[in-house]
Amino acid sequence: ETGVTQTPRHLVMGMTNKKSLKCEQHLGHNAMYWYKQSAKKPLELMFVYSLEERVENNSVPSRFSPECPNSSHLFLHLHTLQPEDSALYLCASSQEGKGHSLGLVKAFFGQGTRLTVV
Amino acid sequence: EDQVTQSPEALRLQEGESSSLNCSYTVSGLRGLFWYRQDPGKGPEFLFTLYSAGEEKEKERLKATLTKKESFLHITAPKPEDSATYLCAVPQNRDDKIIFGKGTRLHILP
């Protein structure tokens, strides 16, 4: 059983819809991430929250809006998406320790939300 | 530009047939390298972290090794349950963000 839970598991939405993806981690970690996984492409890091502060990723379109109300919960708000945004969206968490950068700690992933934009 | 390249893209083996997966990277001054396993419809599952050239780690039928330019994931006498996509990842130096390879899809035939 994973310590990172994502809902919903599957989502179909129209281009004019507004929806949100939810992630909850039960591991006591202090960093959370959103990744996008498209077919034939590597996992792409979208957003990082460390100690509830967001690390900006300027390459993510503004139609994706993250929210981290506390260290256990992470949301990804979606609006006016495009068909090319269809992908598996993965949430992950990790524990950032003193003296250890985020890039060197292993991440625990959720099962993902399979998003289809029609 | 930092890059992670995995090969082969896909690999089919008979049960018991040992082989190796490759992960090559262009990040200078490597500080760590991760291996993950991903089953269809699931998120990646952490396998190993390697920090320096010459380091090796083992878990059941898997052994990961690291050189200054690449890492290998050796699989010995694989079983059908080892079928999955294996992902390699490294942190970039300039911003600490993790970059992943495209993965190797491994299929073990019974």
Side-chain angles (χ1 to χ4, degrees), chain A residues 9 35 37 40-43 45 55-58 88 90 101-112, chain B residues 9 31-34 36 38 41-46 49 51 87 90-91 96-102 105:
Chain A
R9 291 295 309 277
Y35 281 89
Q37 189 173 37
K40 305 289 185 182
K41 289 186 177 181
L43 269 168
L45 180 62
V55 176
E56 292 289 343
N57 185 325
N58 294 330
L88 181 68
L90 290 159
S101 65
L102 272 179
L104 291 176
V105 294
K106 65 185 181 185
F108 292 80
F109 285 83
Q111 304 276 51
Chain B
E9 186 175 320
R31 297 175 294 139
L33 182 144
F34 300 93
Y36 285 86
Q38 186 174 21
K42 295 188 176 182
E45 176 188 347
F46 172 79
T49 308
Y51 291 104
L87 302 171
V90 299
D96 219 26
K97 292 174 185 172
I98 295 289
I99 52 173
F100 279 81
K102 292 183 179 181
R105 293 191 314 277

Short mmCIF file of all heavy atoms in Angstrom, two decimals, chain A residues 9 35 37 40-43 45 55-58 88 90 101-112, chain B residues 9 31-34 36 38 41-46 49 51 87 90-91 96-102 105:
data_model
loop_
_atom_site.label_atom_id
_atom_site.label_comp_id
_atom_site.label_asym_id
_atom_site.label_seq_id
_atom_site.Cartn_x
_atom_site.Cartn_y
_atom_site.Cartn_z
N ARG A 9 -8.47 8.55 -9.71
CA ARG A 9 -7.52 7.73 -10.46
C ARG A 9 -7.65 8.00 -11.95
O ARG A 9 -6.68 7.89 -12.69
CB ARG A 9 -7.76 6.25 -10.18
CG ARG A 9 -7.41 5.80 -8.78
CD ARG A 9 -5.90 5.92 -8.48
NE ARG A 9 -5.09 5.30 -9.50
CZ ARG A 9 -4.81 4.00 -9.55
NH1 ARG A 9 -5.28 3.18 -8.64
NH2 ARG A 9 -4.05 3.51 -10.52
N TYR A 35 4.36 15.62 -11.02
CA TYR A 35 5.03 15.21 -12.24
C TYR A 35 3.98 14.93 -13.31
O TYR A 35 2.87 14.50 -13.02
CB TYR A 35 5.81 13.91 -12.03
CG TYR A 35 7.13 14.04 -11.33
CD1 TYR A 35 7.21 13.98 -9.93
CD2 TYR A 35 8.31 14.19 -12.05
CE1 TYR A 35 8.44 14.07 -9.29
CE2 TYR A 35 9.54 14.29 -11.40
CZ TYR A 35 9.59 14.22 -10.03
OH TYR A 35 10.81 14.31 -9.40
N GLN A 37 3.56 12.57 -16.80
CA GLN A 37 4.13 11.47 -17.57
C GLN A 37 3.30 11.24 -18.82
O GLN A 37 2.17 10.78 -18.75
CB GLN A 37 4.20 10.19 -16.73
CG GLN A 37 4.99 9.06 -17.41
CD GLN A 37 5.19 7.87 -16.50
OE1 GLN A 37 4.33 7.51 -15.72
NE2 GLN A 37 6.37 7.24 -16.59
N LYS A 40 5.85 7.98 -24.33
CA LYS A 40 7.12 8.13 -25.07
C LYS A 40 7.96 9.30 -24.60
O LYS A 40 8.91 9.68 -25.27
CB LYS A 40 6.84 8.31 -26.58
CG LYS A 40 6.00 7.21 -27.19
CD LYS A 40 6.77 5.92 -27.30
CE LYS A 40 5.95 4.86 -28.04
NZ LYS A 40 6.66 3.58 -28.12
N LYS A 41 7.62 9.88 -23.44
CA LYS A 41 8.42 11.00 -22.91
C LYS A 41 8.87 10.69 -21.49
O LYS A 41 8.20 9.93 -20.78
CB LYS A 41 7.59 12.29 -22.90
CG LYS A 41 7.33 12.88 -24.26
CD LYS A 41 6.63 14.21 -24.10
CE LYS A 41 6.38 14.89 -25.42
NZ LYS A 41 5.72 16.21 -25.25
N PRO A 42 9.97 11.29 -21.06
CA PRO A 42 10.38 11.09 -19.66
C PRO A 42 9.41 11.77 -18.70
O PRO A 42 8.69 12.70 -19.07
CB PRO A 42 11.75 11.77 -19.60
CG PRO A 42 12.14 12.06 -20.99
CD PRO A 42 10.90 12.15 -21.79
N LEU A 43 9.44 11.33 -17.47
CA LEU A 43 8.73 12.03 -16.42
C LEU A 43 9.21 13.48 -16.37
O LEU A 43 10.40 13.74 -16.37
CB LEU A 43 9.04 11.39 -15.06
CG LEU A 43 8.14 10.29 -14.56
CD1 LEU A 43 8.77 9.61 -13.36
CD2 LEU A 43 6.79 10.85 -14.16
N LEU A 45 9.12 17.00 -14.22
CA LEU A 45 8.78 17.66 -12.97
C LEU A 45 8.03 18.95 -13.27
O LEU A 45 8.47 19.78 -14.08
CB LEU A 45 10.06 17.97 -12.19
CG LEU A 45 9.88 18.67 -10.85
CD1 LEU A 45 9.09 17.81 -9.88
CD2 LEU A 45 11.25 19.02 -10.27
N VAL A 55 8.50 25.98 -5.20
CA VAL A 55 9.63 26.25 -6.07
C VAL A 55 9.07 26.41 -7.46
O VAL A 55 8.49 25.49 -8.01
CB VAL A 55 10.64 25.08 -6.05
CG1 VAL A 55 11.76 25.34 -7.05
CG2 VAL A 55 11.19 24.89 -4.65
N GLU A 56 9.17 27.56 -8.04
CA GLU A 56 8.57 27.85 -9.32
C GLU A 56 9.18 27.00 -10.43
O GLU A 56 10.37 26.75 -10.45
CB GLU A 56 8.75 29.33 -9.68
CG GLU A 56 7.97 30.30 -8.81
CD GLU A 56 6.48 30.24 -9.06
OE1 GLU A 56 6.07 29.71 -10.11
OE2 GLU A 56 5.72 30.73 -8.22
N ASN A 57 8.32 26.60 -11.34
CA ASN A 57 8.81 25.97 -12.55
C ASN A 57 8.23 26.78 -13.71
O ASN A 57 7.08 26.65 -14.05
CB ASN A 57 8.36 24.51 -12.63
CG ASN A 57 8.96 23.81 -13.84
OD1 ASN A 57 9.13 24.40 -14.89
ND2 ASN A 57 9.28 22.54 -13.70
N ASN A 58 9.02 27.61 -14.30
CA ASN A 58 8.52 28.56 -15.28
C ASN A 58 8.06 27.93 -16.58
O ASN A 58 7.43 28.59 -17.39
CB ASN A 58 9.60 29.61 -15.58
CG ASN A 58 9.89 30.45 -14.36
OD1 ASN A 58 9.00 30.67 -13.54
ND2 ASN A 58 11.11 30.90 -14.23
N LEU A 88 -0.56 11.01 -17.60
CA LEU A 88 -0.62 10.52 -16.22
C LEU A 88 0.04 11.56 -15.33
O LEU A 88 1.20 11.92 -15.55
CB LEU A 88 0.10 9.17 -16.10
CG LEU A 88 0.09 8.51 -14.72
CD1 LEU A 88 -1.32 8.05 -14.35
CD2 LEU A 88 1.05 7.33 -14.68
N LEU A 90 1.40 12.45 -11.74
CA LEU A 90 1.91 11.75 -10.56
C LEU A 90 2.28 12.73 -9.47
O LEU A 90 2.92 13.76 -9.72
CB LEU A 90 3.14 10.91 -10.92
CG LEU A 90 2.88 9.69 -11.79
CD1 LEU A 90 4.16 9.26 -12.50
CD2 LEU A 90 2.33 8.55 -10.96
N SER A 101 20.18 18.21 -0.16
CA SER A 101 19.32 18.91 -1.11
C SER A 101 18.21 17.97 -1.57
O SER A 101 18.33 16.76 -1.52
CB SER A 101 20.13 19.37 -2.31
OG SER A 101 20.62 18.26 -3.02
N LEU A 102 17.12 18.60 -2.06
CA LEU A 102 15.96 17.83 -2.51
C LEU A 102 16.34 16.85 -3.61
O LEU A 102 15.75 15.79 -3.74
CB LEU A 102 14.86 18.76 -3.00
CG LEU A 102 13.88 19.26 -1.96
CD1 LEU A 102 12.87 20.18 -2.60
CD2 LEU A 102 13.17 18.11 -1.27
N GLY A 103 17.30 17.24 -4.43
CA GLY A 103 17.66 16.39 -5.56
C GLY A 103 18.30 15.09 -5.17
O GLY A 103 18.47 14.20 -5.99
N LEU A 104 18.66 14.94 -3.92
CA LEU A 104 19.39 13.74 -3.51
C LEU A 104 18.57 12.85 -2.59
O LEU A 104 19.10 11.91 -2.00
CB LEU A 104 20.69 14.14 -2.80
CG LEU A 104 21.73 14.77 -3.72
CD1 LEU A 104 22.94 15.22 -2.93
CD2 LEU A 104 22.15 13.80 -4.81
N VAL A 105 17.31 13.14 -2.42
CA VAL A 105 16.49 12.29 -1.58
C VAL A 105 15.50 11.51 -2.44
O VAL A 105 14.99 12.01 -3.42
CB VAL A 105 15.73 13.10 -0.51
CG1 VAL A 105 16.69 13.71 0.48
CG2 VAL A 105 14.87 14.17 -1.13
N LYS A 106 15.26 10.27 -2.05
CA LYS A 106 14.37 9.44 -2.85
C LYS A 106 12.93 9.89 -2.65
O LYS A 106 12.55 10.37 -1.58
CB LYS A 106 14.52 7.97 -2.47
CG LYS A 106 14.10 7.63 -1.06
CD LYS A 106 14.40 6.18 -0.74
CE LYS A 106 13.96 5.82 0.66
NZ LYS A 106 14.36 4.45 1.03
N ALA A 107 12.16 9.74 -3.68
CA ALA A 107 10.76 10.16 -3.65
C ALA A 107 9.85 8.95 -3.62
O ALA A 107 10.17 7.89 -4.15
CB ALA A 107 10.45 11.02 -4.87
N PHE A 108 8.70 9.12 -2.98
CA PHE A 108 7.66 8.11 -2.94
C PHE A 108 6.50 8.62 -3.78
O PHE A 108 6.00 9.71 -3.53
CB PHE A 108 7.22 7.86 -1.50
CG PHE A 108 8.28 7.22 -0.65
CD1 PHE A 108 9.31 7.97 -0.12
CD2 PHE A 108 8.26 5.86 -0.40
CE1 PHE A 108 10.30 7.39 0.66
CE2 PHE A 108 9.24 5.27 0.38
CZ PHE A 108 10.26 6.03 0.91
N PHE A 109 6.09 7.82 -4.74
CA PHE A 109 5.08 8.25 -5.70
C PHE A 109 3.71 7.67 -5.37
O PHE A 109 3.59 6.56 -4.83
CB PHE A 109 5.46 7.80 -7.12
CG PHE A 109 6.56 8.61 -7.73
CD1 PHE A 109 7.88 8.33 -7.45
CD2 PHE A 109 6.27 9.64 -8.61
CE1 PHE A 109 8.91 9.08 -8.02
CE2 PHE A 109 7.28 10.39 -9.19
CZ PHE A 109 8.61 10.11 -8.90
N GLY A 110 2.67 8.43 -5.76
CA GLY A 110 1.32 7.90 -5.74
C GLY A 110 1.04 7.11 -7.00
O GLY A 110 1.92 6.95 -7.86
N GLN A 111 -0.19 6.61 -7.11
CA GLN A 111 -0.57 5.78 -8.26
C GLN A 111 -0.86 6.61 -9.50
O GLN A 111 -0.91 6.08 -10.60
CB GLN A 111 -1.84 4.97 -7.92
CG GLN A 111 -1.69 4.10 -6.69
CD GLN A 111 -1.04 2.77 -7.01
OE1 GLN A 111 0.01 2.69 -7.62
NE2 GLN A 111 -1.68 1.70 -6.59
N GLY A 112 -1.05 7.90 -9.32
CA GLY A 112 -1.28 8.75 -10.47
C GLY A 112 -2.74 8.96 -10.80
O GLY A 112 -3.61 8.17 -10.40
N GLU B 9 15.29 0.67 -25.34
CA GLU B 9 13.96 1.21 -25.04
C GLU B 9 13.05 0.09 -24.53
O GLU B 9 12.21 0.31 -23.66
CB GLU B 9 13.38 1.82 -26.31
CG GLU B 9 12.06 2.53 -26.12
CD GLU B 9 11.61 3.21 -27.40
OE1 GLU B 9 12.46 3.79 -28.10
OE2 GLU B 9 10.40 3.16 -27.68
N ARG B 31 26.07 13.85 -8.45
CA ARG B 31 25.93 13.78 -6.99
C ARG B 31 25.08 12.60 -6.55
O ARG B 31 25.01 12.29 -5.35
CB ARG B 31 25.32 15.07 -6.46
CG ARG B 31 26.20 16.30 -6.70
CD ARG B 31 25.49 17.56 -6.27
NE ARG B 31 24.34 17.82 -7.10
CZ ARG B 31 23.18 18.26 -6.62
NH1 ARG B 31 23.02 18.46 -5.35
NH2 ARG B 31 22.17 18.50 -7.45
N GLY B 32 24.42 11.97 -7.50
CA GLY B 32 23.60 10.81 -7.16
C GLY B 32 22.83 10.34 -8.37
O GLY B 32 22.62 11.10 -9.31
N LEU B 33 22.43 9.09 -8.34
CA LEU B 33 21.64 8.53 -9.44
C LEU B 33 20.62 7.57 -8.84
O LEU B 33 20.94 6.80 -7.93
CB LEU B 33 22.55 7.78 -10.43
CG LEU B 33 21.89 7.18 -11.67
CD1 LEU B 33 22.82 7.30 -12.88
CD2 LEU B 33 21.48 5.74 -11.45
N PHE B 34 19.38 7.67 -9.33
CA PHE B 34 18.29 6.86 -8.79
C PHE B 34 17.83 5.86 -9.83
O PHE B 34 17.77 6.15 -11.02
CB PHE B 34 17.08 7.74 -8.44
CG PHE B 34 17.35 8.80 -7.42
CD1 PHE B 34 17.73 10.07 -7.80
CD2 PHE B 34 17.21 8.54 -6.06
CE1 PHE B 34 17.96 11.06 -6.87
CE2 PHE B 34 17.43 9.53 -5.12
CZ PHE B 34 17.81 10.79 -5.53
N TYR B 36 14.30 3.52 -10.43
CA TYR B 36 12.92 3.25 -10.02
C TYR B 36 12.34 2.16 -10.91
O TYR B 36 12.74 1.99 -12.07
CB TYR B 36 12.04 4.50 -10.19
CG TYR B 36 12.25 5.59 -9.16
CD1 TYR B 36 13.25 6.56 -9.32
CD2 TYR B 36 11.43 5.66 -8.04
CE1 TYR B 36 13.42 7.56 -8.39
CE2 TYR B 36 11.60 6.67 -7.10
CZ TYR B 36 12.59 7.61 -7.29
OH TYR B 36 12.77 8.62 -6.35
N GLN B 38 8.56 0.90 -12.44
CA GLN B 38 7.18 1.34 -12.61
C GLN B 38 6.36 0.25 -13.29
O GLN B 38 6.67 -0.16 -14.41
CB GLN B 38 7.10 2.64 -13.43
CG GLN B 38 5.69 3.20 -13.51
CD GLN B 38 5.63 4.56 -14.19
OE1 GLN B 38 6.53 4.92 -14.94
NE2 GLN B 38 4.60 5.32 -13.91
N GLY B 41 0.12 1.42 -15.00
CA GLY B 41 -0.96 2.02 -14.24
C GLY B 41 -0.61 2.41 -12.82
O GLY B 41 -1.49 2.76 -12.02
N LYS B 42 0.67 2.37 -12.49
CA LYS B 42 1.10 2.71 -11.13
C LYS B 42 2.21 3.75 -11.16
O LYS B 42 2.82 4.00 -12.19
CB LYS B 42 1.58 1.47 -10.40
CG LYS B 42 0.49 0.43 -10.16
CD LYS B 42 0.98 -0.68 -9.26
CE LYS B 42 -0.13 -1.65 -8.95
NZ LYS B 42 0.32 -2.73 -8.02
N GLY B 43 2.47 4.34 -9.99
CA GLY B 43 3.57 5.27 -9.89
C GLY B 43 4.89 4.54 -9.73
O GLY B 43 4.93 3.37 -9.37
N PRO B 44 6.01 5.22 -10.01
CA PRO B 44 7.32 4.61 -9.84
C PRO B 44 7.58 4.21 -8.39
O PRO B 44 7.14 4.89 -7.46
CB PRO B 44 8.29 5.71 -10.28
CG PRO B 44 7.48 6.60 -11.17
CD PRO B 44 6.10 6.57 -10.59
N GLU B 45 8.32 3.12 -8.25
CA GLU B 45 8.68 2.62 -6.93
C GLU B 45 10.20 2.66 -6.81
O GLU B 45 10.92 2.14 -7.66
CB GLU B 45 8.17 1.19 -6.76
CG GLU B 45 8.56 0.51 -5.46
CD GLU B 45 8.19 -0.96 -5.46
OE1 GLU B 45 7.42 -1.39 -6.34
OE2 GLU B 45 8.69 -1.69 -4.58
N PHE B 46 10.69 3.28 -5.75
CA PHE B 46 12.13 3.45 -5.56
C PHE B 46 12.83 2.10 -5.43
O PHE B 46 12.36 1.20 -4.73
CB PHE B 46 12.38 4.29 -4.31
CG PHE B 46 13.83 4.37 -3.91
CD1 PHE B 46 14.69 5.23 -4.57
CD2 PHE B 46 14.32 3.58 -2.89
CE1 PHE B 46 16.02 5.30 -4.22
CE2 PHE B 46 15.65 3.64 -2.52
CZ PHE B 46 16.50 4.50 -3.19
N THR B 49 19.61 4.16 -4.76
CA THR B 49 20.35 5.39 -4.98
C THR B 49 21.84 5.03 -4.98
O THR B 49 22.32 4.32 -4.09
CB THR B 49 20.11 6.42 -3.87
OG1 THR B 49 18.73 6.62 -3.69
CG2 THR B 49 20.75 7.75 -4.26
N TYR B 51 25.71 6.90 -5.25
CA TYR B 51 26.27 8.23 -5.05
C TYR B 51 27.63 8.45 -5.69
O TYR B 51 27.98 9.58 -5.99
CB TYR B 51 26.37 8.54 -3.55
CG TYR B 51 25.04 8.70 -2.88
CD1 TYR B 51 24.51 7.70 -2.06
CD2 TYR B 51 24.28 9.86 -3.05
CE1 TYR B 51 23.28 7.85 -1.45
CE2 TYR B 51 23.06 10.03 -2.43
CZ TYR B 51 22.56 9.01 -1.63
OH TYR B 51 21.34 9.17 -1.03
N LEU B 87 13.20 2.97 -14.58
CA LEU B 87 13.52 4.37 -14.81
C LEU B 87 14.79 4.76 -14.07
O LEU B 87 15.02 4.34 -12.94
CB LEU B 87 12.38 5.26 -14.31
CG LEU B 87 11.00 5.03 -14.91
CD1 LEU B 87 9.94 5.83 -14.14
CD2 LEU B 87 10.97 5.43 -16.38
N VAL B 90 18.58 11.50 -12.40
CA VAL B 90 19.69 12.18 -11.74
C VAL B 90 19.28 13.61 -11.41
O VAL B 90 18.44 14.20 -12.11
CB VAL B 90 20.96 12.22 -12.62
CG1 VAL B 90 21.43 10.82 -12.93
CG2 VAL B 90 20.73 12.99 -13.90
N PRO B 91 19.85 14.21 -10.36
CA PRO B 91 19.58 15.62 -10.06
C PRO B 91 20.48 16.51 -10.90
O PRO B 91 21.68 16.25 -11.05
CB PRO B 91 19.91 15.74 -8.57
CG PRO B 91 20.92 14.67 -8.32
CD PRO B 91 20.66 13.57 -9.30
N ASP B 96 19.01 21.59 -9.00
CA ASP B 96 18.69 20.48 -8.11
C ASP B 96 17.48 19.66 -8.54
O ASP B 96 17.06 18.76 -7.82
CB ASP B 96 18.44 21.00 -6.68
CG ASP B 96 19.03 20.06 -5.65
OD1 ASP B 96 19.98 19.33 -5.96
OD2 ASP B 96 18.50 20.03 -4.52
N LYS B 97 16.88 19.97 -9.68
CA LYS B 97 15.69 19.24 -10.09
C LYS B 97 16.08 17.89 -10.68
O LYS B 97 17.09 17.76 -11.36
CB LYS B 97 14.88 20.05 -11.10
CG LYS B 97 14.26 21.28 -10.49
CD LYS B 97 13.58 22.15 -11.54
CE LYS B 97 13.09 23.43 -10.89
NZ LYS B 97 12.58 24.39 -11.89
N ILE B 98 15.22 16.92 -10.44
CA ILE B 98 15.47 15.57 -10.93
C ILE B 98 15.07 15.48 -12.40
O ILE B 98 14.00 15.94 -12.79
CB ILE B 98 14.63 14.56 -10.13
CG1 ILE B 98 15.10 14.52 -8.68
CG2 ILE B 98 14.72 13.18 -10.75
CD1 ILE B 98 16.43 13.87 -8.49
N ILE B 99 15.93 14.89 -13.22
CA ILE B 99 15.56 14.59 -14.60
C ILE B 99 15.58 13.08 -14.78
O ILE B 99 16.48 12.38 -14.30
CB ILE B 99 16.48 15.29 -15.63
CG1 ILE B 99 17.95 15.01 -15.34
CG2 ILE B 99 16.20 16.78 -15.65
CD1 ILE B 99 18.86 15.53 -16.44
N PHE B 100 14.55 12.58 -15.46
CA PHE B 100 14.37 11.16 -15.68
C PHE B 100 14.71 10.79 -17.11
O PHE B 100 14.56 11.58 -18.04
CB PHE B 100 12.91 10.77 -15.43
CG PHE B 100 12.55 10.59 -13.98
CD1 PHE B 100 12.26 11.68 -13.18
CD2 PHE B 100 12.50 9.32 -13.42
CE1 PHE B 100 11.91 11.51 -11.85
CE2 PHE B 100 12.15 9.14 -12.09
CZ PHE B 100 11.86 10.24 -11.30
N GLY B 101 15.15 9.54 -17.29
CA GLY B 101 15.24 8.96 -18.62
C GLY B 101 13.86 8.48 -19.04
O GLY B 101 12.90 8.49 -18.26
N LYS B 102 13.74 8.03 -20.30
CA LYS B 102 12.45 7.57 -20.81
C LYS B 102 12.12 6.16 -20.31
O LYS B 102 10.99 5.72 -20.43
CB LYS B 102 12.46 7.57 -22.34
CG LYS B 102 12.51 8.96 -22.95
CD LYS B 102 12.43 8.89 -24.47
CE LYS B 102 12.46 10.29 -25.07
NZ LYS B 102 12.36 10.25 -26.55
N ARG B 105 11.44 -0.67 -21.01
CA ARG B 105 10.32 -1.60 -20.75
C ARG B 105 10.86 -3.02 -20.81
O ARG B 105 11.30 -3.48 -21.87
CB ARG B 105 9.21 -1.40 -21.78
CG ARG B 105 8.50 -0.07 -21.69
CD ARG B 105 7.25 -0.06 -22.56
NE ARG B 105 7.49 -0.58 -23.90
CZ ARG B 105 8.01 0.12 -24.89
NH1 ARG B 105 8.38 1.37 -24.70
NH2 ARG B 105 8.18 -0.42 -26.08
#
